[in-house]
Amino acid sequence: MRALQPTATGSVDNDGLAVHYEVYGDGSPTVYLLMPDVIVHSRAWKAQIPFLARHFRVVVSDPPGNGRSGTPVVARQMDDTVQLAGQWVVLDAVGAERAVLVGLCSGAGHALIMAGERPERVLGACTINPGVRLTEPLPHRIEFDFDEPRESYEGWQKQNRHYWKQDWRGWSEFFFREMFPEPHSSKQVEDCVEWSMGAGADMLLLEYASVYRAQDIPTSRAICEAVRCPVLVITGSLDMCQNPRRGPLVAELTGGDLVVIEGGGHLPQARDPVKVNLLLRDFVRRVGGVPAKS
């Protein structure tokens, strides 16, 4: 059961893969909510879609390898250049010459790259816990060898290709509990775990082998410095995926506004949707030239 049904659905071909998209509402401007990566699909925006669609036209799409999009067979089909091309094709398919981009994690990196590369099409970019490597990773993300087989796996040792193949649900349950440090987050964890089942270990391993350009500090700085549109950065102070220092640096390098959610984790759009929705609404109104009482 969905709180709101799409006004249009479709798929576009991108490098031989279908990219499934949905459109909600008919307002202006268009808001494109970008997925972080293959581990979840567009239902991760379920708390934003009905609210934002009251005011704007909202577009979502599933990543390659999850939801209703096609399934990659080689890592190149998950490279950021390929995924970005698919996102532009979706905007073309829905007739959006310009849009506000909202991205989470690596999806925030996509939003920043898109804004820098085609500024004439991006009204503004909102980045939530941005996945651009402006700092070193959090220590627990790199403490253990991803490729080393172990007799047993505890904690972040589960971020391991062998464990993923052995117990994907076990990894997903651990990972999303870490992503929600906020109390009373059991429903959000359950949702994310179920959405991750559509991907599985094979898709995540393909994604790990693909090219994501914002993986070093100089490139990530250049991506941010190329952005000329208004930017809003939302960062959870207890993010266990991306280093929380990255959000303030994105704001500094882009001249954007920064909102820090104290005690918030990696997925505030799910755990604190009212706050995030109001921030998004006000940002889209401002960059889209929409009167406050529309």
Side-chain angles (χ1 to χ4, degrees):
M1 179 67 68
R2 298 191 178 196
L4 181 68
Q5 294 299 315
T7 55
T9 64
S11 66
V12 294
D13 178 80
N14 181 51
D15 196 40
L17 284 181
V19 180
H20 175 79
Y21 68 83
E22 297 176 346
V23 182
Y24 298 82
D26 58 3
S28 181
T30 296
V31 181
Y32 192 1
L33 305 176
L34 302 173
M35 274 296 91
D37 56 34
V38 69
I39 198 169
V40 292
H41 50 68
S42 60
R43 286 289 284 151
W45 294 110
K46 71 175 186 176
Q48 282 63 58
I49 292 169
F51 177 81
L52 293 176
R54 298 177 197 169
H55 310 278
F56 319 111
R57 183 171 66 152
V58 177
V59 179
V60 296
S61 60
D62 290 330
N66 204 341
R68 297 182 181 180
S69 288
T71 302
V73 294
V74 293
R76 188 190 62 80
Q77 293 175 300
M78 288 191 170
D79 286 355
D80 62 0
T81 53
V82 176
Q83 292 200 50
L84 291 167
Q87 288 156 357
W88 287 122
V89 171
V90 167
L91 287 174
D92 291 341
V94 302
E97 294 185 3
R98 305 185 76 191
V100 180
L101 306 179
V102 181
L104 167 68
C105 192
S106 56
H110 285 189
L112 292 168
I113 294 169
M114 293 170 76
E117 291 185 344
R118 303 183 73 172
E120 74 282 2
R121 296 196 64 178
V122 181
L123 293 166
C126 175
T127 69
I128 303 173
N129 288 316
V132 285
R133 190 166 178 169
L134 292 168
T135 70
E136 290 304 310
L138 291 165
H140 61 263
R141 298 302 308 271
I142 57 174
E143 181 178 1
F144 303 106
D145 190 325
F146 181 70
D147 297 307
E148 179 186 355
R150 296 175 177 272
E151 292 185 2
S152 62
Y153 300 84
E154 300 296 332
W156 281 97
Q157 293 173 353
K158 294 179 180 180
Q159 185 176 273
N160 179 285
R161 69 168 62 249
H162 305 285
Y163 184 76
W164 287 5
K165 299 282 281 188
Q166 170 186 316
D167 187 358
W168 174 252
R169 181 175 286 272
W171 157 252
S172 184
E173 290 173 347
F174 165 77
F175 178 72
F176 285 112
R177 284 196 297 268
E178 293 290 304
M179 296 304 98
F180 289 102
E182 304 93 336
H184 313 298
S185 298
S186 58
K187 180 60 169 71
Q188 288 82 3
V189 172
E190 290 171 4
D191 282 345
C192 289
V193 169
E194 289 308 309
W195 296 329
S196 79
M197 294 299 111
D202 289 341
M203 288 300 101
L204 261 290
L205 290 171
L206 271 186
E207 185 177 64
Y208 261 51
S210 68
V211 175
Y212 176 60
R213 74 190 75 173
Q215 281 297 309
D216 64 75
I217 291 175
T219 302
S220 296
R221 289 186 65 92
I223 287 169
C224 293
E225 290 169 346
V227 176
R228 295 291 178 266
C229 67
V231 172
L232 171 64
V233 182
I234 302 173
T235 293
S237 68
L238 298 182
D239 186 2
M240 295 291 284
C241 181
Q242 298 294 328
N243 191 319
R245 291 166 45 215
R246 294 178 178 178
L249 286 170
V250 171
E252 177 184 333
L253 292 167
T254 62
D257 297 327
L258 172 67
V259 176
V260 177
I261 300 178
E262 294 297 336
H266 187 59
L267 301 167
Q269 91 289 351
R271 193 59 191 86
D272 201 353
V274 173
K275 183 176 184 68
V276 171
N277 288 351
L278 293 176
L279 288 169
L280 292 178
R281 182 199 64 186
D282 293 347
F283 177 72
V284 175
R285 280 176 166 170
R286 175 164 64 87
V287 303
V290 180
K293 293 185 178 180
S294 69

